[in-house]
Amino acid sequence: MSRAVLWTKVVAGGLLMVVGGPAFVEYIRPSDEELRKRYNPDLQKRSAEQGERRAQEFDDYVNKLKHWSKSDKSIWYAAQEELDNKRAAIEAQRAQAKEETRTQREEMRKEMLGEK
């Protein structure tokens, strides 16, 4: 057998694997619609209800990534900074609510003592 025939077989086998493998997988893989049809009705209903919410969450996340990428910092640092800011805001709200509750209790205590 000559080398040309051998190389032809090698190239043909390689092309068969490189092109034929993914084509075969794509041929046997069910489409998203076929998979949804196989769901039971409860899952179909839940999937339909949550689809828009998940799409909106994904869009929000992509927009945040775009915003973070405009920063001169790394995306990870920008994301952590935003998370830290959110935590600080939540802590400030909790502290304010605690202070309001304390003030209300003091006022109620004063009213109770003043009436007795």
Side-chain angles (χ1 to χ4, degrees), residues 37-90:
K37 286 179 185 177
R38 292 181 190 175
Y39 286 176
N40 69 26
D42 293 337
L43 284 177
Q44 286 179 355
K45 184 174 145 186
R46 194 176 333 149
S47 176
E49 290 172 354
Q50 294 178 356
E52 280 191 35
R53 180 184 56 84
R54 287 186 179 177
Q56 183 61 40
E57 287 175 357
F58 179 75
D59 288 343
D60 293 343
Y61 181 70
V62 169
N63 288 333
K64 283 183 185 180
L65 283 177
K66 287 179 184 177
H67 176 73
W68 294 335
S69 68
K70 291 178 184 175
S71 173
D72 58 344
K73 301 175 186 174
S74 167
I75 289 178
W76 305 111
Y77 290 121
Q80 186 64 40
E81 191 175 85
E82 184 174 320
L83 185 62
D84 292 343
N85 291 340
K86 283 184 181 180
R87 285 182 184 159
I90 289 172

Side-chain angles (χ1 to χ4, degrees), residues 92-108:
Q93 287 177 347
R94 285 181 184 163
Q96 183 180 3
K98 222 178 206 183
E99 182 63 27
E100 288 175 2
T101 303
R102 188 187 61 76
T103 305
Q104 288 176 352
R105 285 183 182 170
E106 284 182 17
E107 288 175 4
M108 289 172 59

